[in-house]
Amino acid sequence: MKNFLNSLREIRKYPSAIVGSVIILALVIAAVVVLITMPYKETIDFWRGGEESWYANPRYAPPKWFNWFREDKLAESFTMKDTESEEDGVVRVVEERDEGVKMITETFAFDYDYDTFPQDLAIYFTAQYDQKQPFVSLKWLTPDGREIKVASFAVSPKQTYRFIQDEKLKSKRLNGIVPNIGLFIDPEDPNQKVVKGTYQLVVEAVTFEADSNYTAEFVLYGQVYGWAGTDNLRRDLSIPLRWGIPIALTFGLLAALFTSVLTMIIAAIGAWYGGVVDALIQRITEVNMVLPFLSILIMVATFYSRSIWVILGVTILLSIFTGAIKGYRSIFMQVKESTYIEAAQAYGAGSGRLIFRYLLPRMIPMLLPALVSAVPAYVFLEATLAVLGIGDPVIPTWGKTINDAWVDAALYKGHYYWILQPAVLLMITGFGFAMLGFALDRIFNPRLRGM
Amino acid sequence: METVSEPIVTSKPKVKKNSSSSAFQRIFRYSFVRLITLFVTVVIGVYLTIMIANMGGYVDTIMKAEIRERITISVANNQAYKNMPKDQLNELILERIQLEEKRMGLDRPLVIRSVNFLKNAMTLNLGRAVNMNSDAGSRQVRLIILERLPYTLLLMGTSNLILFFSAMFLALALSRNYGSIWDKIVIALTPTSSAPAWFYGIFFILIFAAVLRILPFGGVMDAPIPETFIARALSVLKHLILPASALIISTFFLSIYNWRTFFLINSSEDYVDTAKAKGLQGRDIERRYILRPTLPYIITNFALMLIGIWTGAIVTETVFQWPGLGRTIFKAIGLYDTPVIVGTTIIYAYLLAITVFLLDFVYALVDPRVKIGGGK
């Protein structure tokens, strides 16, 4: 054991091992944080909630760090609710009139310092009333002091006003320019440049009943969104990117741990008992080598269940009896002849004790590198199945994000961020484990030492 | 995990000094036992595949439901039966369902059918596909496979051969100057092989197809198909570059690393030191004292690489829309087409078994230390 720890200390001499360990540690911490901050059920429900969850996000918006590399800054998306405080730029003034009539004036003020125009603008209204609908009129105040009348209409219980779908606004008040551009330029300016500064959207409403009220939510659909961007269904990609961490780690680590430990135990049992047991293990291994691994996984996923736990189980089952079992067996055969085993036998140690206390501990130095090196393969296996379209149907993962992007021809349409972000995360995870694994192999495998 | 070909460690028969039986008898007995074991292995492996491809009978349920639905709809939509009484119509539907189930053999239990499948599979009577057909329109599994085989051989053959030889010779060069900067670079790049080929494929498509627009996104030929043969060949070559490079790069550095380590271990043998002490040329030492004794290992790897070509690369072919065997297997699974799945598996199993069997003899040919059947 002391030798083992001493060898572990050698890791410090391998820069790649240090980088690998730091990556793995960071991933594990991130996974724990994700599991605590984003509860499974809520996240999944939100992720699969459709337009209900995601109406306020732009489609196909790259992440906002795109702006770091651009001269002309892309507009960021944001949402303003009239329930928010004044500090967030929303002011609500209520004026009581006779017979329960109220005049409500709301001002949404926001800074617009970007060089490009937003995708769209929208206001989501909800209204409570008995008979008579509240009536609203919208005004747009530009930083250079112009006032544009946008629209006036009665509000139904659930109503959405989309600026770029308003033909009247476009043709009558903006000289035929689409509102998402027309509202942000100076009509005198031939270059059609964005007028930067503080814009105000004023909503003037009249409610006609004592209990009548309404709420408004102003959404500016920008060209960029959040730290990870959005996909074709307006979903925030940071969710699968973050949830992908614990999924990838769990799948990779569990599969690697179970396969390498079980492989080793079975090899030890075969080598110790010999005879029929050994022959049986050898034959099972040979049969397993004939079986097409990936095809069987695809079959299980297609015919039976796409649940990540079922796939994990089948993966482990198929990966136990592989070539590795033969390698371990030959080493066990040598160890079996050692004198310390003979001594243990002489004082009457049973087979179970011999296998688990004498044979297996000797192999931990071989197990560790094998285990760590096996992780990337399983992390990528999960992604591979997802890319083939047979990933877990519920959980958002990196592989599924790549699959979604692939199905939507993201590379062809130029939404590179959609595929690149999960791919880079996969790569970092895979390389992190691989780097540490290779270094461990070089430390613990005496034949590789110094090579 | 596209490389299915895990090296099979064939137990190297040991040298035995006093063999009582004649060499011929010994070889014959050994071959016989070996053949029987391998055959049983293949039979069990194929039978398991058959059972998995039928999900232990679950696929039958799916297919029966499919037949029921298809026939009910077709009868309901048929104008000729519109005025038929209800019970007579139901009888007609039932009759047709039974006929269709009988045609597909679903009226007999899976256990009996699976034995039949096995017999046909082992005699390479691959039978007819359930849902798939070849581009030429045939339902014969043999023809479906033969139609796809050239594309897989082209893609996998090109990439595996380039990979095998370039990795081996680069590794030999590295082991000659081990510790050099190139050696260190290769070791540092070895972790890149943890990512599968399709992963690099996606990056290659992004760079060369999407951004630079110099190579195609996927497929095998330009549309419309060029007229002259040379233009067609060039077009195929252009489509081959990205998938083949993805397959090569995904295992390139690990292969070099493994070969390099292997050569280094073998060049630290005593007889190599002796050869050096005798003052032999570096090239001679390499050829006679390093490559020659390691030839069995090199041949094993080469043979396993060759049969690994057969299965194709399911995911890489799917990502690049390369019409090879791998993509066909994936499609077959999606269509519950058991005969096609089993057909590809049985051929792989046979190839593997034959290779393993022949390797023993090849060892004896190239390595004088090995004697066939000399173990035990």
Side-chain angles (χ1 to χ4, degrees), chain A residues 283 286-296 298-300 302-304 315 318-319 322-324 326-327 376-378 380-381 383-384 387-390 402 406 411-414 416 419-420 422-424 426-427 430-431 434-435 438 441-442 447-448 450-451, chain B residues 1 4 6-9 37 41-42 44-46 48-49 52-55 58-59 62 178 187 190-196 198-200 202-203 205-206 210-211 213 217 254 257 260-261 264-265 268 314-315 318-319 329-330 333-334 336 341 345 348-349 352:
Chain A
R283 294 295 93 73
E286 275 155 22
V287 168
N288 194 36
M289 283 172 169
V290 174
L291 295 178
F293 175 73
L294 193 56
S295 298
I296 290 187
I298 297 172
M299 282 185 237
V300 171
T302 318
F303 302 158
Y304 185 60
T315 306
L318 289 173
S319 313
T322 50
K326 301 210 168 204
Y378 295 112
F380 277 109
L381 176 68
T384 302
V387 167
L388 285 176
I390 45 179
I402 296 179
W406 198 257
L411 286 187
Y412 196 76
K413 293 181 189 165
Y416 304 141
I419 278 189
L420 272 179
V424 166
L426 269 173
M427 196 162 74
F431 289 6
M435 280 155 103
F438 275 112
D441 201 26
R442 288 152 67 81
R447 293 210 301 172
L448 297 179
M451 283 188 178
Chain B
M1 283 232 240
V4 199
E6 300 221 16
I8 287 189
V9 186
T37 348
T41 310
V42 171
I44 297 175
V46 170
L48 279 177
T49 314
I52 295 170
N54 283 291
M55 274 291 127
Y58 181 61
V59 170
I62 298 176
Y178 111 85
I187 294 177
T190 311
T192 56
S193 297
S194 61
W198 64 262
F199 187 78
Y200 289 101
I202 282 179
F203 278 97
I205 292 178
L206 195 155
V211 177
R213 306 247 165 207
F217 277 85
L254 184 65
Y257 176 82
R260 158 199 173 277
T261 317
L264 278 179
I265 289 172
S268 60
I314 295 183
V315 198
T318 308
V319 163
I329 295 173
F330 182 55
I333 296 171
Y336 310 113
I341 304 172
T345 313
Y348 176 70
L352 190 68

Side-chain angles (χ1 to χ4, degrees), chain A residues 233-248:
Chain A
L233 302 172
R234 305 177 186 276
R235 295 180 298 193
D236 182 358
L237 288 176
S238 76
I239 290 184
L241 291 190
R242 279 182 286 172
W243 249 92
I245 304 172
I247 297 293

Side-chain angles (χ1 to χ4, degrees), chain B residues 131-335:
Chain B
N131 290 315
M132 293 177 88
N133 37 300
S134 66
D135 286 350
S138 170
R139 275 270 159 111
Q140 294 282 322
V141 173
R142 190 171 50 90
L143 292 179
I144 294 177
I145 290 176
L146 280 179
E147 200 178 59
R148 295 285 144 242
L149 195 57
Y151 295 102
T152 282
L153 288 184
L154 178 64
L155 174 62
M156 299 296 286
T158 319
S159 50
N160 279 11
L161 285 175
I162 292 177
L163 180 68
F164 185 84
F165 287 109
S166 64
M168 204 174 79
F169 287 111
L170 283 175
L172 206 56
L174 280 187
S175 76
R176 220 174 287 147
N177 344 295
Y178 111 85
S180 66
I181 180 76
W182 289 109
D183 195 28
K184 291 199 171 106
I185 290 176
V186 167
I187 294 177
L189 285 175
T190 311
T192 56
S193 297
S194 61
W198 64 262
F199 187 78
Y200 289 101
I202 282 179
F203 278 97
F204 285 170
I205 292 178
L206 195 155
I207 297 169
F208 295 103
V211 177
L212 299 177
R213 306 247 165 207
I214 48 174
L215 287 168
F217 277 85
V220 75
M221 203 172 307
D222 285 328
I225 295 172
E227 295 197 346
T228 62
F229 176 76
I230 294 170
R232 276 204 295 272
L234 282 176
S235 176
V236 171
L237 201 65
K238 199 172 76 186
H239 286 78
L240 181 68
I241 294 173
L242 284 189
S245 329
L247 284 165
I248 292 173
I249 204 81
S250 68
T251 39
F252 188 62
F253 292 106
L254 184 65
S255 299
I256 296 184
Y257 176 82
N258 283 343
W259 280 116
R260 158 199 173 277
T261 317
F262 175 74
F263 287 135
L264 278 179
I265 289 172
N266 276 285
S267 53
S268 60
E269 295 278 353
D270 288 341
Y271 52 76
V272 181
D273 286 338
T274 317
K276 274 185 200 150
K278 281 200 288 185
L280 282 181
Q281 286 271 310
R283 299 241 160 217
D284 284 342
I285 294 178
E286 222 159 66
R287 224 179 43 235
R288 277 194 272 163
Y289 292 86
I290 300 178
L291 280 180
R292 184 76 208 274
T294 54
L295 207 52
Y297 179 80
I298 296 175
I299 290 173
T300 310
N301 271 283
F302 187 72
L304 290 174
M305 182 274 289
L306 279 188
I307 56 173
I309 291 176
W310 165 259
T311 46
I314 295 183
V315 198
T316 311
E317 285 181 7
T318 308
V319 163
F320 283 98
Q321 293 173 27
W322 186 264
L325 261 186
R327 200 157 149 245
T328 307
I329 295 173
F330 182 55
K331 262 194 211 157
I333 296 171
L335 292 167

Side-chain angles (χ1 to χ4, degrees), chain A residues 138-311:
Chain A
L138 312 175
K139 268 190 315 192
W140 184 260
L141 304 177
T142 59
D144 49 358
R146 283 172 299 123
E147 182 183 311
I148 303 166
K149 205 165 165 290
V150 177
S152 313
F153 48 87
V155 183
S156 50
K158 242 187 164 152
Q159 181 155 357
T160 308
Y161 174 74
R162 294 189 187 281
F163 284 57
I164 59 169
Q165 284 173 5
D166 191 342
E167 280 301 317
K168 207 170 137 198
L169 171 67
K170 179 183 160 187
S171 53
K172 290 235 171 104
R173 291 165 198 138
L174 295 171
N175 307 325
I177 302 171
V178 212
N180 63 333
I181 295 171
L183 290 172
F184 290 90
I185 55 168
D186 187 347
E188 318 283 296
D189 180 13
N191 295 328
Q192 298 209 334
K193 277 223 170 136
V194 174
V195 181
K196 294 183 185 178
T198 307
Y199 284 83
Q200 285 180 12
L201 176 70
V202 182
V203 182
E204 290 173 334
V206 189
T207 60
F208 301 99
E209 294 160 6
D211 294 334
S212 176
N213 203 349
Y214 83 99
T215 62
E217 182 181 3
F218 171 58
V219 180
L220 184 134
Y221 296 94
Q223 303 285 358
V224 290
Y225 177 88
W227 289 109
T230 60
D231 64 6
N232 56 338
L233 302 172
R234 305 177 186 276
R235 295 180 298 193
D236 182 358
L237 288 176
S238 76
I239 290 184
L241 291 190
R242 279 182 286 172
W243 249 92
I245 304 172
I247 297 293
L249 286 188
T250 315
F251 193 90
L253 282 172
L254 282 185
L257 186 73
F258 275 102
T259 40
S260 35
V261 170
L262 286 175
T263 302
M264 194 158 270
I265 291 178
I266 290 171
I269 291 174
W272 181 252
Y273 287 106
V276 184
V277 181
D278 191 33
L280 188 69
I281 292 172
Q282 297 299 310
R283 294 295 93 73
I284 294 177
T285 309
E286 275 155 22
V287 168
N288 194 36
M289 283 172 169
V290 174
L291 295 178
F293 175 73
L294 193 56
S295 298
I296 290 187
L297 272 189
I298 297 172
M299 282 185 237
V300 171
T302 318
F303 302 158
Y304 185 60
S305 165
R306 281 163 61 188
S307 154
I308 197 164
W309 303 112
V310 173
I311 296 294

